[in-house]
Amino acid sequence: MEPEGTTEAQAPNLAQSAASKLSRMGERTKQLGSAMQDPNRQKRIMLVIVCTALLLDNMLYMVIVPIIPDYLEGLQKQADRVQVDAPHDNFTNSTTHKAAKGNFDLQIGILFASKAILQLLVNPLSGTFIDRVGYDIPLFLGLNVMFLSTLTFAFAETYATMFLARSMQGLGSAFADTAGIAMIADKYTVEAERSKALGIALAFISFGSLVAPPFGGFLYEFAGKQVPFLVLACICLTDGVLCLVCLKPFSNRERENMPVGTPIYKLMLDPYIAVVAGALTICNIPLAFLEPTIAKWMEETMHTSQWEIGMTWFPAFFPHVFGVYLTVKLAAKYPHLQWFYGAIGMVFIGASSCTVPACKNFGELMIPLCGICFGIAFVDTALLPTLGFLVDVRHVSVYGSVYAIADISYCLAYAMGPVVAGQIVHDLGFVQLNLGMGLANVLYAPVLLLLKNVSQLKPSFSERNMLLEDGPTGLYDTIKMEQREKKRKGLCTTIDENGIETFAQRSCSEEESSGGEFA
């Protein structure tokens, strides 16, 4: 009987302990839920998700550099052996993997450029789509497309399949990259915080681009072609799940209250935005043009080994991060000099590009390459927040289209790089290529003087101009526009003895002409 009594006595204790554990778990869940509702914590989680997406996109962009040329060359040699062994067979089987040797470099260049070309074509549409539906759904959709692209790369065995995977990556990047950067600009409204958050995102972009070639080359050498892509696919899947759970893209009701953004064609016609977009394109040309050409030049002039070629860009990561950190600190202290930081960066890039052909060994080459990445960090970190500020003060504070323009600027450089750079080296030479890129950056630096007065722009002026350019839509708007026109000509409203409104010729204060309208 004792064991039965003991069991009966232990049963309530077990039930009480289970209930207490459940209550503690419920309290912890509530605490976690309340912590997730904290705005600062939400912004940090969002920043982690966006930075991971940018890291993945740039790793996938660069991880194929040591993998795909070697893999496709192996496929071509295999097809050549099949053709030699059976010269009388039908050519349709052997041409599946085969390419003419003279066109092999061109095919590799087109494969590399296909991502940037498709991203360049899709960005105008993705920017408008982001402005309409918000930032979270395009980010989630982009991550899904990037996940499928990575899996396709892992199991691709033909040039056509790899071309499809590379193009799919461009489609996903057009949504994920633009939506991620625009979301950072939307959540971080204070200029100092926005510069810091965008600087962190740029550091992840740099890390992904520079660490991917050694990462991919090492895993490809010792584990095969599929492993690096499967690792990236797992990280992409994890980031997509985090986006779905934390950002809740399909249950967010904030997009219903979003204002209508300025059309992308109007933003492109803004002279300030055009100057920034030109700077972003030109400053990235040296990096985009050197990536497909410097390996062959190193082999011919320095007789470098494969591991040195794979590690060419990795040391440049550290000056890039230092450049981001330095620009963020300077922008916080002297925010009105953003244009000057961009100009300094372009001079750095130009000088470094001109010194690349003078390098005689691997150690010397690290110095100009680090200078190029340091200058790019200055330009990007200074001018990306400037785009958000320009939209705030001159247009509507919806950021999808303006950062689609920034993405178009990057893609323009990287779409031309793999195709144009090789042809320039073939026709003119590697030295002339670098001198031309350096000269273009140095000559464009003074153009950034046009951004000198951007920090003095006031939202009230842009609000007024934006309302006036669309024309009046009703009686109230017509009266308000007539009043603005009179005030602009120096006439102010007065009331005479009979209660009739008249316009008197006198100077109006700036507060009367802008403050009331903005309110």
Side-chain angles (χ1 to χ4, degrees):
M1 297 295 295
E2 247 178 45
E4 293 179 1
T6 305
T7 305
E8 290 176 358
Q10 288 177 349
N13 295 332
L14 290 172
Q16 290 177 0
S17 63
S20 63
K21 288 180 180 179
L22 287 174
S23 64
R24 285 198 297 269
M25 288 178 62
E27 290 176 359
R28 290 175 182 173
T29 304
K30 289 181 181 178
Q31 291 175 357
L32 181 61
S34 61
M36 291 286 290
Q37 296 300 320
D38 180 46
N40 291 327
R41 195 177 297 271
Q42 283 183 341
K43 287 197 288 189
R44 290 172 188 167
I45 293 172
M46 177 273 301
L47 187 61
V48 170
I49 293 172
V50 171
C51 289
T52 306
L54 296 173
L55 172 73
L56 282 167
D57 179 52
N58 286 273
M59 285 195 71
L60 186 56
Y61 178 79
M62 292 298 296
V63 76
I64 71 170
V65 171
I67 298 175
I68 299 304
D70 184 73
Y71 184 76
L72 288 177
E73 189 175 359
L75 291 178
Q76 182 177 343
K77 290 179 179 178
Q78 182 180 358
D80 291 341
R81 284 197 298 269
V82 171
Q83 186 182 13
V84 170
D85 293 340
H88 57 278
D89 289 345
N90 195 346
F91 284 103
T92 55
N93 294 329
S94 63
T95 54
T96 303
H97 301 294
K98 187 180 182 302
K101 290 185 178 180
N103 295 330
F104 183 73
D105 291 338
L106 178 61
Q107 287 189 344
I108 294 295
I110 293 174
L111 178 65
F112 280 19
S114 60
K115 184 255 186 189
I117 292 173
L118 190 66
Q119 192 171 345
L120 181 67
L121 297 175
V122 175
N123 263 317
L125 302 177
S126 67
T128 304
F129 179 73
I130 291 166
D131 285 346
R132 296 290 178 86
V133 305
Y135 310 111
D136 40 14
I137 290 179
L139 176 61
F140 181 71
L141 294 177
L143 285 171
N144 279 275
V145 176
M146 287 166 58
F147 173 71
L148 294 176
S149 167
T150 312
L151 284 182
T152 307
F153 257 125
F155 299 102
E157 294 183 352
T158 64
Y159 178 86
T161 312
M162 292 179 185
F163 185 86
L164 174 65
R166 187 70 165 173
S167 302
M168 285 175 60
Q169 188 204 351
L171 178 64
S173 300
F175 287 93
D177 291 4
T178 307
I181 297 293
M183 185 183 291
I184 291 175
D186 181 70
K187 298 298 183 183
Y188 292 88
T189 54
V190 180
E191 285 302 312
E193 292 182 355
R194 181 182 288 175
S195 296
K196 183 178 179 181
L198 289 174
I200 294 172
L202 289 171
F204 273 83
I205 290 174
S206 170
F207 182 74
S209 299
L210 299 176
V211 80
F215 164 82
F218 179 82
L219 290 181
Y220 174 65
E221 182 72 23
F222 296 102
K225 181 180 81 73
Q226 295 181 356
V227 174
F229 296 107
L230 291 177
V231 171
L232 294 178
C234 291
I235 300 174
C236 189
L237 180 64
T238 305
D239 196 43
V241 172
L242 279 175
C243 178
L244 186 63
V245 172
C246 299
L247 300 184
K248 297 181 175 60
F250 298 103
S251 62
N252 193 348
R253 299 299 177 189
E254 292 181 3
R255 68 181 64 90
E256 297 177 358
N257 300 321
M258 282 182 63
V260 179
T262 307
I264 191 169
Y265 72 90
K266 287 189 177 181
L267 295 177
M268 287 181 174
L269 296 176
D270 188 309
Y272 295 116
I273 294 177
V275 169
V276 174
L280 293 177
T281 300
I282 292 177
C283 80
N284 280 277
I285 282 178
L287 193 61
F289 280 43
L290 283 176
E291 280 174 353
T293 57
I294 197 169
K296 186 176 181 180
W297 176 77
M298 290 172 66
E299 288 180 349
E300 293 176 353
T301 59
M302 302 180 184
H303 307 290
T304 51
S305 59
Q306 290 298 319
W307 76 266
E308 287 178 323
I309 294 175
M311 293 294 292
T312 300
W313 293 99
F314 183 70
F317 166 71
F318 301 101
H320 186 278
V321 172
F322 176 68
V324 170
Y325 174 80
L326 186 60
T327 311
V328 168
K329 291 296 183 183
L330 289 173
K333 196 169 183 180
Y334 308 104
H336 60 287
L337 294 177
Q338 297 275 44
W339 64 273
F340 184 63
Y341 308 143
I344 290 177
M346 299 199 79
V347 172
F348 255 99
I349 296 168
S352 301
S353 297
C354 292
T355 57
V356 167
C359 299
K360 302 299 181 184
N361 54 60
F362 181 76
E364 292 179 2
L365 183 61
M366 293 301 99
I367 298 174
L369 295 185
C370 289
I372 290 174
C373 290
F374 180 77
I376 290 175
F378 256 69
V379 178
D380 289 348
T381 312
L383 297 187
L384 280 180
T386 302
L387 285 175
F389 179 76
L390 287 170
V391 168
D392 288 336
V393 299
R394 291 174 61 83
H395 303 280
V396 183
S397 296
V398 180
Y399 306 97
S401 292
V402 74
Y403 284 108
I405 293 174
D407 209 18
I408 289 171
S409 304
Y410 292 127
C411 294
L412 193 59
Y414 285 95
M416 292 189 301
V419 179
V420 177
Q423 192 65 36
I424 294 176
V425 171
H426 181 268
D427 294 340
L428 301 177
F430 187 78
V431 176
Q432 286 74 11
L433 173 68
N434 283 270
L435 292 177
M437 295 187 301
L439 186 63
N441 276 272
V442 172
L443 291 179
Y444 197 89
V447 179
L448 295 180
L449 279 168
L450 297 173
L451 304 176
K452 185 177 181 181
N453 296 323
V454 162
S455 61
Q456 300 174 9
L457 295 176
K458 296 291 188 288
S460 56
F461 301 131
S462 63
E463 187 89 3
R464 179 176 61 197
N465 294 335
M466 182 186 66
L467 291 173
L468 287 176
E469 70 181 8
D470 292 333
T473 57
L475 179 60
Y476 175 79
D477 291 337
T478 304
I479 295 172
K480 293 297 292 182
M481 195 180 85
E482 289 177 355
Q483 291 177 350
R484 292 189 191 105
E485 291 295 332
K486 297 292 185 182
K487 289 177 181 179
R488 186 176 297 175
K489 295 176 181 177
L491 299 174
C492 290
T493 306
T494 58
I495 306 295
D496 63 8
E497 298 175 333
N498 300 321
I500 300 174
E501 186 180 51
T502 60
F503 289 94
Q505 181 74 36
R506 65 183 180 87
S507 61
C508 297
S509 65
E510 184 176 338
E511 289 80 7
E512 289 174 334
S513 64
S514 62
E517 293 168 20
F518 182 64

